[in-house]
Amino acid sequence: MRAWHAQNAAPPAPVGGHSAAGRSPWPPPPPRRRSPEPRSPCSGTGSVGFLVSAICGQATGTGHLTYTDGTTQDYTLTAPDWLAATPPSGTSVAVSSAYRNGPDNTRQNVTSRIFSMAVPLASGKTLSSVTLPSASTLPLTCATPALHVFAADVSNHVVSLRAHANGKYMTAPNGGASPLIAGTTSIGPPEEFDLIDN
């Protein structure tokens, strides 16, 4: 994991119990027990962003999102191999390292990457939890493509706008019945706007 120091002032936070220093394998090996699939509490609206990578080739897995009304939505993550130079459509490079540590702490001059991707949530629904995909076949071997999910977070697509002219936030007073004005110094519901992607 010390390879992260090649481009970052500090290594990323430990993931899955692996230390961010020393001889920890990178990426961390997939857990040996793949079932039941991990389920994480997560709430919000908008989209779920994932930080992912794969080893031994591209890996794909399907998980599901559970909403507060009890309904579910399947989603699929396809992660490139961590050594892939070009991310597939809908994916971008989130983190890269100039080298990696090999066996016996030897330096290997290959670029390793973690990729980001987003899954849109159903309109008008609030997310309750995320069930991660299981994208490996058992038994796991060095030649088995395996998906690694490092992080997930919900983007609510809610933004606030601050005017350059006076440094104040744009507000929609009286429930939006009055004209917009840049007139407040703090953010509350009248200063929050939905960011809509068309």
Side-chain angles (χ1 to χ4, degrees), residues 159-183:
V159 298
S160 295
L161 307 172
R162 185 170 54 207
H164 286 287
N166 62 8
K168 294 185 178 181
Y169 292 101
M170 186 70 68
T171 184
N174 301 317
S178 297
L180 295 176
I181 185 170

Side-chain angles (χ1 to χ4, degrees), residues 44-124:
T45 59
S47 63
V48 183
F50 293 92
L51 291 180
V52 300
S53 198
I55 58 171
C56 302
Q58 179 175 284
T60 299
T62 300
H64 67 266
L65 309 173
T66 302
Y67 295 100
T68 53
D69 64 3
T71 59
T72 62
Q73 170 188 334
D74 288 342
Y75 68 92
T76 300
L77 297 179
T78 298
D81 185 272
W82 65 314
L83 301 179
T86 305
S89 177
T91 306
S92 59
V93 176
V95 180
S96 65
S97 161
Y99 64 90
R100 68 181 181 187
N101 290 339
D104 298 321
N105 209 27
T106 56
R107 179 173 168 152
Q108 297 177 342
N109 292 316
V110 295
T111 302
S112 307
R113 298 169 181 86
I114 295 177
F115 303 90
S116 65
M117 59 184 60
V119 174
L121 300 177
S123 178

